Amino acid sequence: MHFGDPHDGHVSDLEWSLDWRFEQMLQKLKKYDLQVFAQMVALQQFGDPDIGNLTTEKKRVLIDCCRNAIVAAMIQETDRP
């Protein structure tokens, strides 16, 4: 899933870019009522489903893991008869 980040594909040191990507991801998840993916990933990765006060590194992990969880769910959905 592409979140519209103009820096996607490039490793950026800019924290504002990561924060922007994180906010864009949350907005898209909320738009499609998929916030549960972010909470599920946060619980699995950090032991807490709260995504309100994550560190920069945890935001980076959450973005990548949410993408993977959504892709895996989409694959499972299309594999159903």
Side-chain angles (χ1 to χ4, degrees), residues 12 15 18-19 22 45-46 53-65:
S12 177
E15 286 186 25
L18 180 66
D19 288 337
F22 181 73
Q45 295 294 316
F46 316 126
N53 294 314
L54 298 177
T55 65
T56 300
E57 187 55 37
K58 286 183 177 181
K59 286 180 183 179
R60 183 172 287 124
V61 168
L62 191 71
I63 290 169
D64 291 337
C65 290

Side-chain angles (χ1 to χ4, degrees), residues 18-69:
L18 180 66
D19 288 337
W20 182 85
R21 288 174 45 211
F22 181 73
E23 290 301 320
Q24 290 297 306
M25 180 191 73
L26 292 181
Q27 287 178 14
K28 286 213 177 185
L29 291 175
K30 186 178 279 188
K31 179 179 178 181
Y32 296 105
D33 199 28
L34 296 173
Q35 307 93 305
V36 69
F37 280 101
Q39 294 168 338
M40 176 187 70
V41 169
L43 181 61
Q44 289 173 346
Q45 295 294 316
F46 316 126
D48 185 5
D50 182 25
I51 57 175
N53 294 314
L54 298 177
T55 65
T56 300
E57 187 55 37
K58 286 183 177 181
K59 286 180 183 179
R60 183 172 287 124
V61 168
L62 191 71
I63 290 169
D64 291 337
C65 290
C66 279
R67 284 184 185 173
N68 294 339

